[in-house]
């Protein structure tokens, strides 16, 4: 049994009277501890699929299982707990909390994930992760004073500080220049390896595929191609 | 709590505005409530200073003390059932002081009463407000209709009736001056009443509790009602302000709420954050306005009827906090509704 699988996932949006099927039966199994990239034309349904997988919106039909648990039949509180403890998120924009310092963003994530670490250990962990993303020296800065790349690195740190099992990322490098993008990708790659995190990542940028293990290509709500790279 | 405080520190202006509005409204409420209470003291401290008990008037008097007259026999009957019953009469009137100035007062005669000063024949004891106006012990006061002047024998604090100073006189003087041989009102304090569980009923007499009796005083209930309505309106308005302000603040924060929900923060925690902010703002504003209204009480001119106790301030503050809590919670329903997806799709904040 694998860590994360989706079976026949469908999603229909109603535009008034007209119903439009955005996901038309998706079957995916994420290779454990590897990075899977989701590519495809704009509007093909990548973000919709990612957010459904991450439990941020519901599927119209199909099964999603994580560690043998069926996410689609869970109550919202159970789903919240899984999101808080087992999942990490990186969005296209960093979406940091504007009134918390870099360090506090991570502390909040640990608290939300109900981390079993002592306060002391949490401090150490925060330091380690911030050093990893090269943001320790800015630990007391507030998000509005950070550059786009810096914010995104903090977002990466927040997404992995609680050692999630699965990391969901929607175009995490879209707001960065290519040098910064490469840095963030290298970071995600390293974290995935070191912490054995399974990653599902939407990307437009073909250059980013250098860092992934598995590529899924979508078109019009269907998977048209799946490749293992390494 | 920590997050709530951090957010307020980062958005000082926003929360200072809310705080100062709450401060102003609560200050206004405290002041008006102090005036309400002050006027009520000014109007009826003579009655309000009495302990809890039962008042009796003649049924025929139709709840108007000046029409009530308890005959000797009725007084006898009451005293048999309630040996500690006190009897008193009130008559609005005036006198001319030594500087030929006319003063309106409420003349009071009381028998068998430890609540009011016992006055010798030919003497009068006045409310201290008249001492401030220049009347002194030993002065003789007169009235065109009297044969004899009365001598001022002393002063008592806070004894007013119908916005006039009380003038306690001997029951015999009262009978002579006002041509009556009855008393108007009987009073039995609960603490000395026989079978005190229930007020004793007497034939042809109507019983009143303290507050019921206060409401029979002309102008008292009307005055108190309108002032209390103002206080209630202010409280309701402050609740609505909390709701509106938090609504606006929340609308601006929906994006943050959505992201926090996406990463798994409990909705309850977001509510706690809002409550903590509401609580911090209210407590600071209320402490400030409580202090200022107390200072106002100290500095207000002596003749101004203003009376605000700490317990009354505390009670009002509690009501403020409860109303603020309700207001903030109502506005917080949006927090419950916000979907993480909206925030994610919205892009950078
Ligand atoms: N909440 C929604 N209501 C209605 N339609 C939606 C909703 N969310 C997405 N869609 C539609 O679903 C389709 C797929 O959207 P999605 O965001 O998944 O595409 P995408 O592959 O991520 O595109 P892009 O590369 O531009 O981000 C689009 O046509 C979009 O308009
Ligand atoms: Mg997308």
């Amino acid at each position: 049994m694998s860590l994360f699988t989706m079976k026949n996932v469908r999603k229909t949006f109603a535009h008034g009277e007209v119903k439009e099927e955005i996901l038309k039966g998706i079957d995916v199994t994420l290779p454990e501890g590897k990075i899977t990239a989701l590519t495809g034309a704009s509007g093909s349904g990548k973000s919709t699929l990612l957010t459904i997988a991450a439990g941020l919106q519901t599927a119209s039909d199909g099964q999603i299982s994580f560690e043998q648990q069926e996410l689609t039949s869970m109550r919202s509180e159970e789903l919240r707990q899984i999101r808080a403890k087992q999942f990490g998120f990186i969005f296209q924009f960093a979406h940091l909390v504007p009134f918390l310092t870099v360090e506090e963003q991570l502390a909040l994530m640990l608290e939300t994930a109900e981390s079993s670490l002592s306060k002391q250990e949490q401090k150490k962990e925060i330091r380690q992760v911030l050093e990893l993303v090269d943001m320790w020296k800015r630990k007391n800065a507030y998000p509005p004073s950070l550059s786009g790349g810096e914010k995104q690195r903090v977002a990466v740190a927040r997404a992995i500080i609680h050692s999630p099992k699965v990391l969901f990322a929607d175009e995490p490098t879209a707001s960065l220049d290519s040098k910064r993008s490469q840095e963030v990708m290298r970071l995600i790659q390293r974290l995935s390896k070191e912490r054995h995190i399974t990653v599902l990542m939407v990307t437009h940028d073909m250059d980013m595929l250098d860092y992934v293990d598995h590529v899924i290509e979508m078109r019009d709500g269907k998977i048209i191609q799946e490749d293992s790279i390494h | 709590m920590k997050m709530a405080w951090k957010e307020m520190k980062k958005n000082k202006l926003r929360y200072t505005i809310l705080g100062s509005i709450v401060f102003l409204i609560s200050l206004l409420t405290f002041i008006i409530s102090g005036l309400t209470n002050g006027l009520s003291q000014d109007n009826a401290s003579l009655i309000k200073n009495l302990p809890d008990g039962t008042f009796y008037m003649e049924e025929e008097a139709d709840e108007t003390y000046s029409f009530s007259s308890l005959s000797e026999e009725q007084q006898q009957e009451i005293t048999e059932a309630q040996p500690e019953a006190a009897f008193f009469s009130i008559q609005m009137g005036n006198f001319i002081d030594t500087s030929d100035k006319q003063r309106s007062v409420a003349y009071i005669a009381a028998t068998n009463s430890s609540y009011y000063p016992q006055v010798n024949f030919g003497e009068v004891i006045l409310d201290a407000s008249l001492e401030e106006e220049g009347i002194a012990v030993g002065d003789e006061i007169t009235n065109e209709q009297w044969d004899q002047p009365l001598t001022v024998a002393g002063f008592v604090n806070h004894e007013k009736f119908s916005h006039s100073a009380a003038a306690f006189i001997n029951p015999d003087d009262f009978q002579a001056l006002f041509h009556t041989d009855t008393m108007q009102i009987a009073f039995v304090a609960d603490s000395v009443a026989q079978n005190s569980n229930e007020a004793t009923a007497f034939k042809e007499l109507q019983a009143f509790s303290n507050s019921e009796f206060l409401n029979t005083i002309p102008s008292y209930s009307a005055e108190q009602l309108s002032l209390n309505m103002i206080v209630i309106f202010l409280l309701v308005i402050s609740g609505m302000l909390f709701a509106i302000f938090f609504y606006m603040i929340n609308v601006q924060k929906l994006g943050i709420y959505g992201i926090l929900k996406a990463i798994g923060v409990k909705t309850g925690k977001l509510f706690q954050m809002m409550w903590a902010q509401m609580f911090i703002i209210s407590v600071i504003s209320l402490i400030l306005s409580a202090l200022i209204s107390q200072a106002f009480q100290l500095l207000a001119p002596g003749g101004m009827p203003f009376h605000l106790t700490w317990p009354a301030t505390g009670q009002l503050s509690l009501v403020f906090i409860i109303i603020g809590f309700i207001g903030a919670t109502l506005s917080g329903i949006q927090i419950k509704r916000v979907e993480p997806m909206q925030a994610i799709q919205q892009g950078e904040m």
Side-chain angles (χ1 to χ4, degrees):
Chain A
M1 218 28 212
S2 24
L3 181 74
F4 197 101
T5 57
M6 296 196 267
K7 261 210 173 70
N8 192 30
V9 168
R10 289 170 187 278
K11 181 72 178 177
T12 314
F13 286 115
H15 297 277
E17 288 292 285
V18 193
K19 282 195 180 146
E20 200 184 351
E21 196 170 44
I22 300 299
L23 298 180
K24 300 167 177 161
I26 303 277
D27 298 297
V28 169
T29 298
L30 297 184
E32 216 176 315
K34 302 266 151 103
I35 304 180
T36 301
L38 204 51
T39 64
S42 178
S44 57
K46 307 180 295 291
S47 296
T48 307
L49 180 62
L50 183 96
T51 47
I52 287 176
L56 292 169
Q57 61 178 328
T58 55
S60 308
D61 194 16
Q63 285 91 46
I64 302 163
S65 83
F66 165 70
E67 287 189 322
Q68 275 82 268
Q69 306 168 81
E70 186 49 48
L71 298 192
T72 43
S73 60
M74 265 184 193
R75 286 181 304 112
S76 63
E77 170 58 19
E78 289 173 287
L79 206 53
R80 182 198 67 76
Q81 286 201 18
I82 289 193
R83 283 209 309 274
K85 296 176 187 172
Q86 320 276 16
F87 292 173
F89 302 94
I90 310 170
F91 311 105
Q92 181 173 348
F93 298 99
H95 287 304
L96 301 174
V97 183
F99 50 85
L100 296 180
T101 64
V102 166
E103 198 177 5
E104 286 161 352
Q105 312 269 348
L106 303 199
L108 172 68
M109 191 63 236
L110 282 176
E111 188 193 324
T112 302
E114 294 167 37
S115 164
S116 55
L117 300 178
S118 70
K119 277 270 164 300
Q120 207 77 34
E121 292 168 320
Q122 290 194 11
K123 276 222 156 73
K124 243 174 75 186
E125 180 72 10
I126 289 171
R127 179 175 182 152
Q128 221 165 29
V129 171
L130 281 180
E131 277 171 348
L132 209 61
V133 299
D134 196 20
M135 285 299 292
W136 176 246
K137 56 187 186 302
R138 308 280 337 246
K139 65 179 191 300
N140 292 321
Y142 287 94
S145 69
L146 299 177
S147 74
E150 286 175 325
K151 280 187 214 172
Q152 203 61 344
R153 281 185 279 152
V154 176
V156 174
R158 178 178 70 180
I160 54 105
I161 181 78
H162 55 302
S163 306
K165 295 220 167 72
V166 188
L167 175 64
F168 297 95
D170 195 350
E171 305 191 34
T173 60
S175 63
L176 306 177
D177 62 33
S178 78
K179 185 168 157 279
R180 285 293 177 197
S181 300
Q182 311 253 347
E183 268 177 42
V184 168
M185 274 321 297
R186 243 175 263 134
L187 185 63
I188 292 175
Q189 192 181 36
R190 203 164 101 218
L191 292 169
S192 165
K193 277 220 173 62
E194 279 175 15
R195 304 193 166 210
H196 198 68
I197 299 173
T198 304
V199 181
L200 178 61
M201 182 183 80
V202 172
T203 185
H204 260 38
D205 189 344
M206 290 308 140
D207 291 343
M208 298 302 125
L209 298 186
D210 293 347
Y211 302 93
V212 310
D213 309 299
H214 194 78
V215 181
I216 296 172
E217 195 182 345
M218 287 181 70
R219 186 185 296 157
D220 290 334
K222 281 189 283 221
I223 292 175
I224 52 166
Q225 205 180 340
E226 230 185 305
D227 290 309
S228 271
I229 292 177
H230 302 291
Chain B
M1 191 76 177
K2 192 170 157 242
M3 239 206 330
W5 181 241
K6 294 230 53 154
E7 200 224 335
M8 290 172 71
K9 275 209 315 215
K10 274 271 141 191
N11 295 288
K12 282 195 199 77
L13 182 67
R14 191 186 278 183
Y15 289 98
T16 312
I17 292 174
L18 174 56
S20 26
I21 290 176
V22 174
F23 160 72
L24 289 174
I25 289 209
S26 60
L27 181 62
L28 192 56
T29 312
F30 287 167
I31 299 277
I32 289 186
S33 161
L35 285 172
T36 311
N37 206 1
L39 278 171
S40 141
Q41 290 289 340
D42 196 58
N43 203 340
S45 51
L46 183 80
I47 307 300
K48 292 189 82 170
N49 292 344
L50 292 175
D52 281 345
T54 309
F55 293 77
Y56 295 96
M57 289 199 278
E58 224 187 358
E59 222 158 46
E60 277 178 12
D62 203 17
E63 309 200 347
T64 308
Y65 71 90
S66 54
F67 295 159
S68 171
S69 67
L70 307 179
S71 63
E72 284 287 344
E73 296 83 70
Q74 281 173 312
Q75 293 182 36
Q76 200 79 47
E77 189 192 340
I78 295 171
T79 311
E80 267 163 34
Q82 296 289 355
E84 302 291 333
F87 297 93
F88 61 97
S89 292
I90 306 168
Q91 178 74 47
M92 302 310 292
N94 47 50
F95 64 76
I96 295 161
D97 66 14
T98 46
S99 55
D100 273 345
K101 227 177 170 175
Q102 181 149 332
R103 309 275 186 188
S104 359
V105 288
Y107 289 103
I108 293 114
T111 58
N112 188 26
S113 151
S114 53
Y115 312 118
Y116 299 131
Q118 298 294 313
V119 193
N120 297 328
F121 195 74
E123 291 183 349
V124 61
I125 291 178
L126 297 170
D127 177 67
S129 61
L130 290 172
E131 187 175 22
E132 282 162 29
E133 304 215 359
I135 296 176
V137 171
D139 282 3
E140 292 201 330
I141 61 168
T142 57
N143 184 310
E144 291 129 36
Q145 276 123 48
W146 303 348
D147 310 331
Q148 293 272 344
L150 294 171
T151 310
V152 176
F155 294 95
V156 285
N157 282 322
H158 306 303
E159 294 287 8
K160 290 191 128 191
F161 187 80
S162 200
H163 298 297
S164 304
F168 295 98
I169 55 179
N170 184 280
D172 291 333
D173 279 329
F174 193 94
Q175 295 199 352
L177 296 179
F178 302 112
H179 314 292
T180 169
D181 56 357
T182 60
M183 293 301 246
Q184 293 163 346
I185 302 152
F187 174 71
V188 182
D190 287 343
S191 53
V192 295
Q194 310 286 316
N195 342 315
S196 55
N197 304 347
E198 214 173 302
T200 323
F202 295 102
K203 224 174 34 221
E204 289 169 10
L205 293 186
Q206 193 175 348
F208 299 85
S209 69
N210 290 46
S211 59
E212 285 165 351
F213 184 73
L214 281 172
N215 282 323
T216 68
I217 303 174
S219 86
Y220 182 88
S221 47
E223 193 179 280
Q224 291 294 302
L225 190 66
S226 32
L227 288 167
N228 282 329
M229 282 312 281
I230 296 179
V231 170
I232 290 169
F233 271 116
L234 285 173
L235 286 171
V236 171
I237 288 173
S238 73
M240 288 179 356
L241 262 172
F242 262 114
I244 292 166
F245 249 89
F246 271 101
Y247 180 84
M248 295 191 318
I249 290 175
N250 283 338
V251 164
Q252 292 176 330
K253 288 201 296 198
L254 286 183
I256 300 170
Y257 288 142
I259 293 302
L260 288 174
K261 276 188 171 185
I263 65 172
V265 175
K266 281 187 196 141
T267 308
K269 194 174 156 149
L270 301 177
F271 267 91
Q272 279 167 19
M273 179 172 155
M274 183 182 68
W275 287 329
Q277 290 171 339
M278 176 253 133
F279 192 75
I280 293 169
I281 291 173
S282 318
V283 167
I284 294 175
S285 321
L286 288 169
I287 287 176
L288 272 180
S289 43
L291 290 176
I292 291 180
S293 52
Q294 288 296 331
F296 179 77
Q297 168 149 281
L298 286 177
L299 302 175
M304 182 164 177
F306 188 89
H307 188 70
L308 186 63
T309 59
W310 282 110
T313 313
Q315 267 174 14
L316 273 178
S317 304
L318 196 68
V319 174
F320 258 107
I321 289 177
I322 292 170
I323 283 182
F325 183 81
I326 296 171
T329 307
L330 283 179
S331 81
I333 291 171
Q334 326 157 64
I335 301 181
K336 214 171 151 53
R337 289 221 194 97
V338 68
E339 291 287 339
M341 281 307 294
Q342 291 166 336
I344 295 165
Q345 283 165 348
Q346 247 167 29
E348 188 65 308
M349 286 173 289

